[in-house]
């Protein structure tokens, strides 16, 4: 969050990309796009493009990470070198390590890990084009991929960010808003219980703005949830 | 960072206590352990601080070097936060390169300091586009007795507060000056213990709690950074309540920080 800018990101209640403050970018979700993975998903969110693939449950490697009474979720978030304007060095950096770690923990809350002792469920998230909000896009895609893989789950977890630009609380920041905005709050919830499984915040929010941002991000998650169910519906027919 | 070896009996005990608003160590559920801050004990560092939060001890040293600014902010200094979960601090800490836990810890502390704009980065520019100061915040955990998040943020803030820019050593100016500091971020960390939410968990409590929530406020009571961790969950209202509690409970830490200025 640069937070220091005179840049007008909202004019007459309309954002640079033509959205209203409480509007999501366009989201397209397709389940089952990869052959090798047990479950997969391709997701476009605005200009973000993300693939997610799920393998398992399978034997957990390295062995010392095994849990005697449950499976672990090994989520991996990576950004392709060509996904941003300046080439990103391939592989793991501190940011992707953190995102992978908190995403693994979020998934462990919904996957029925107790059914597969000592096993591992691998969730690979690959961002191929990045325009702000990729961790939410990746987690949303991975949830659909988990469902596509037939992994027993309590629910899927949609993830969506809210934030603040030009002193207005808005839903789903785009690239400019992420760069020049004042706050970013990615949130992932379990829609059936309303529980929060992932929350991060950076930037500046007053207590009231925080309440608004929570409300907005939660409603964004519920909208996404609908699209996720539709994606599964399209692949498998019937009502998901 | 959690301790894997707490018995189910102890777990049940701690959860029952929490529903009655009590803790195994006698504290209330929204009460901090005793805080003690010492500063300026290291001569080789530009700034330093040792923070005791109960039995948790964290030593923070600040080093400053001249580096190049990022292309998109040619007039701003930069900062980098690292934490060292030294094996001597806890039986469960292994030597070797930073693991997920320590990376999460550093990044949450980093966000609290960075997003609050505690450091006046513009004041760290030496030559626009060419030379700026880079602030290295290195946190060494000496004793882990839980809640490293708050202890590290406090140690970083305290160490920054007495840091001097090493102008003389690097031939930038003929006098060392105080690092420009704008405000005071404080983080508050909560744990979900059974169905209760407790402030400032000990490592024993970390071993049985299911989820963690950290929120950093500035001195005006505005939110600057937050992070939910671990594989449990909070309800929406627990999160909102914790944010409110943090604004009153962080006074203890603020007072301790004021005491050293």
């Amino acid at each position: 969050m640069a937070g220091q800018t005179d840049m007008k990101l909202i004019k007459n209640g309309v954002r640079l990309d033509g959205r209203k403050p409480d509007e999501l970018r366009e989201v397209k979700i397709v389940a089952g796009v990869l052959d090798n993975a047990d479950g997969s998903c391709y997701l476009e969110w605005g200009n973000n493009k993300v693939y997610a693939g799920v393998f398992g449950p399978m034997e957990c490697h390295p062995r010392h990470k095994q849990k005697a009474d449950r499976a672990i979720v090994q989520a991996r978030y990576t950004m392709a070198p060509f996904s941003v304007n300046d080439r990103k060095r391939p592989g793991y950096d501190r940011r992707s390590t953190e995102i992978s770690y908190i995403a693994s923990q979020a998934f462990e809350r919904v996957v029925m890990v107790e059914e597969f002792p000592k096993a591992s469920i691998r969730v690979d998230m690959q961002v191929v084009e990045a325009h702000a909000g990729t961790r939410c896009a990746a987690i949303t895609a991975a949830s659909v991929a988990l469902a596509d893989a037939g992994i027993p789950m309590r629910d899927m977890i949609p993830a969506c960010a809210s934030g603040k630009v030009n002193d207005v609380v808005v839903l789903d920041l785009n690239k400019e808003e992420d760069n020049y905005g004042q706050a970013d709050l990615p949130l992932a919830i379990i829609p059936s219980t309303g529980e929060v499984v992932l929350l991060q915040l950076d930037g500046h929010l007053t207590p009231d703005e925080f309440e608004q941002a929570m409300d907005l991000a939660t409603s964004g998650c519920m909208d996404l949830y609908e699209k996720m169910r539709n994606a599964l519906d399209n692949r498998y027919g019937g009502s998901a | 960072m959690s301790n894997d070896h707490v018995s189910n009996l102890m777990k049940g005990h701690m959860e029952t206590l929490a529903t009655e608003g009590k803790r195994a160590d006698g504290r209330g559920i929204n009460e901090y352990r005793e805080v003690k801050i010492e500063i300026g004990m290291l001569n080789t560092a530009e700034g330093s601080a040792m923070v005791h939060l109960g039995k948790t001890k964290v030593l923070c040293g600040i080093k400053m070097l001249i580096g190049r600014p990022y292309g998109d902010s040619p007039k701003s200094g930069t900062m980098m936060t690292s934490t060292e979960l030294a094996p001597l601090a806890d039986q469960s800490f292994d030597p070797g390169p930073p693991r997920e836990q320590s990376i999460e810890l550093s990044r949450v502390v980093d966000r609290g300091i960075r997003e609050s704009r505690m450091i006046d980065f513009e004041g760290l520019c030496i030559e626009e586009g060419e030379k700026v100061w880079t602030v290295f915040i290195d946190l060494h955990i000496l004793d882990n007795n839980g809640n490293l998040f708050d202890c590290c943020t406090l140690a970083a803030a305290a160490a920054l507060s007495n840091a001097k820019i090493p102008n003389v050593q690097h031939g930038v100016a003929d006098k060392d000056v105080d690092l420009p500091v704008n405000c005071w971020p404080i983080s508050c960390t909560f744990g979900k213990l059974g169905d209760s939410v407790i402030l400032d968990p000990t490592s024993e409590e970390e071993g049985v709690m299911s989820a963690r929530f950290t929120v950093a406020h500035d001195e005006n009571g505005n939110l600057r950074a937050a992070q939910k961790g671990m594989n449990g969950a909070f309800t929406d209202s627990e999160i909102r309540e914790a944010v409110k509690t943090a604004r009153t409970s962080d006074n203890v830490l603020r007072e301790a920080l004021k005491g050293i200025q």
Side-chain angles (χ1 to χ4, degrees):
Chain A
M1 297 287 101
Q4 292 178 325
T5 178
D6 304 327
M7 195 166 168
K8 280 290 263 183
L9 294 160
I10 303 183
K11 284 177 196 148
N12 307 321
V14 179
R15 296 151 75 174
L16 290 183
D17 52 14
R19 284 184 293 156
K20 294 195 287 286
D22 61 352
E23 211 176 317
L24 279 173
R25 285 174 285 184
E26 203 168 310
V27 177
K28 189 182 109 184
I29 309 177
V30 189
V33 291
L34 304 174
D35 288 326
N36 273 333
D38 295 324
S40 59
C41 175
Y42 171 67
L43 180 146
E44 283 183 13
W45 183 329
N47 292 324
N48 289 316
K49 296 180 180 64
V50 180
Y51 285 90
V54 168
F55 293 89
M58 59 191 180
E59 191 178 352
C60 175
H61 287 292
R63 278 262 176 81
H64 69 87
K65 286 200 169 167
Q66 284 185 358
K67 297 274 181 203
D69 58 344
R70 65 173 178 93
I72 64 165
V73 175
Q74 293 177 298
R76 270 191 296 209
Y77 164 100
T78 42
M79 280 172 75
F82 47 78
S83 65
V84 282
N85 282 339
D86 301 324
R87 179 175 185 270
K88 188 195 162 295
R89 272 183 55 191
Y92 251 30
D93 56 17
R94 293 164 70 85
R95 174 177 172 273
S96 56
T97 304
E98 184 199 11
I99 294 174
S100 304
Y101 186 50
I102 58 173
S104 303
Q105 294 175 323
F107 289 128
E108 283 182 1
R109 178 70 183 180
V110 283
V111 171
M112 295 192 173
V113 287
E114 60 282 359
E115 298 206 359
F116 309 101
K118 294 188 177 180
S120 158
I121 293 155
R122 220 172 82 196
V123 179
D124 293 309
M125 299 170 272
Q126 177 72 59
V127 178
V128 295
E129 194 176 329
H131 297 269
T134 54
R135 79 191 63 186
C136 293
I139 288 168
T140 303
S143 286
V144 175
L146 277 163
D148 182 46
I151 307 276
M153 283 196 288
R154 294 179 179 82
D155 205 344
M156 294 189 287
I157 47 176
C160 181
S162 56
K164 182 165 81 161
V165 293
N166 293 161
D167 292 325
V168 180
V169 175
V170 299
L171 184 65
D172 184 23
L173 305 186
N174 62 32
K175 190 76 197 156
E176 290 76 25
E177 293 168 342
D178 190 40
N179 286 350
Y180 302 106
Q182 296 154 296
D184 182 18
L185 186 151
L187 179 79
I189 62 168
I190 304 177
S192 54
T193 64
E195 285 175 311
V196 174
V197 286
L198 181 144
L199 186 162
Q200 295 185 293
L201 161 69
D202 58 57
H204 177 284
L205 286 177
T206 65
D208 283 345
E209 287 165 348
F210 173 71
E211 299 276 334
Q212 281 178 45
M214 285 290 288
D215 292 342
L216 211 48
T218 306
S219 77
C221 286
M222 296 312 285
D223 285 353
L224 270 174
Y225 189 52
E226 199 55 42
K227 298 180 203 292
M228 294 159 79
R229 291 167 61 108
N230 287 340
L232 292 171
D233 206 6
N234 287 339
R235 176 150 161 81
Y236 295 102
S239 59
Chain B
M1 251 143 285
S2 64
N3 182 349
D4 273 347
H5 313 290
V6 178
S7 72
N8 283 338
L9 198 63
M10 192 62 192
K11 181 172 192 266
H13 176 59
M14 290 200 282
E15 288 177 1
T16 315
L17 277 179
T19 59
E20 298 164 2
K22 293 189 239 168
R23 307 276 279 271
D25 57 7
R27 283 183 291 157
I29 50 170
N30 288 328
E31 200 178 323
Y32 265 104
R33 287 168 289 176
E34 197 190 337
V35 192
K36 210 170 84 194
I37 307 178
E38 301 159 58
I39 52 166
M41 67 284 293
L42 303 177
N43 294 317
T44 47
E46 269 67 88
S48 55
M50 167 91 115
V51 174
H52 305 245
L53 184 57
K55 287 180 182 165
T56 297
K57 281 194 258 320
V58 173
L59 178 66
C60 177
I62 309 290
K63 288 299 283 180
M64 294 178 70
L65 292 174
I66 296 172
R68 283 185 73 85
Y70 292 113
D72 57 358
S73 45
K75 282 190 283 188
S76 294
T78 56
M79 71 176 261
M80 160 122 200
T81 310
S82 345
T83 55
E84 172 84 28
L85 300 182
L88 89 166
D90 195 312
Q91 197 177 317
S92 69
F93 293 171
D94 299 321
R99 306 262 292 266
E100 295 155 331
Q101 294 166 348
S102 105
I103 289 175
E104 185 189 22
L105 174 60
S106 339
R107 287 183 59 91
V108 172
V109 174
D110 187 282
R111 277 203 288 275
I113 304 283
R114 189 186 298 271
E115 299 300 338
S116 68
R117 320 211 125 251
M118 175 179 183
I119 303 175
D120 175 14
F121 288 111
E122 308 260 308
L124 296 180
C125 179
I126 302 168
E127 195 185 327
E128 188 178 333
E130 291 295 326
K131 277 188 195 170
V132 295
W133 288 108
T134 299
V135 182
F136 293 89
I137 304 174
D138 283 292
L139 293 146
H140 277 240
I141 321 302
L142 300 177
D143 232 333
N144 174 27
N145 212 331
N147 199 1
L148 293 176
F149 286 79
D150 296 354
C151 200
C152 285
T153 303
L154 199 55
L160 288 168
S161 77
N162 72 88
K164 289 213 180 305
I165 302 177
N167 284 330
V168 179
Q169 186 192 345
H170 295 272
V172 174
D174 50 13
K175 219 173 120 219
D176 291 351
V177 295
D178 288 341
L179 178 72
V181 167
N182 289 326
C183 74
W184 301 95
I186 292 282
S187 85
C188 283
T189 296
F190 298 84
K192 175 106 172 235
L193 193 59
D195 290 323
S196 312
V197 177
I198 56 165
L199 178 67
D200 183 27
T202 62
S203 48
E204 198 172 39
E205 287 164 338
E206 285 176 349
V208 298
M209 71 194 205
S210 60
R212 188 189 66 237
F213 177 63
T214 302
V215 57
H217 282 89
D218 59 24
E219 70 263 44
N220 301 319
N222 291 324
L223 290 92
R224 297 295 189 154
Q227 173 108 334
K228 181 257 157 193
M230 300 177 68
N231 59 13
F234 288 93
T235 64
D236 182 78
S237 57
E238 281 168 347
I239 293 277
R240 291 174 200 243
E241 202 50 48
V243 169
K244 285 186 191 132
T245 307
R247 280 200 288 279
T248 50
S249 300
D250 71 6
N251 278 330
V252 191
L253 306 185
R254 283 192 193 286
E255 289 304 315
L257 202 50
K258 268 191 200 142
I260 58 158
Q261 289 164 45

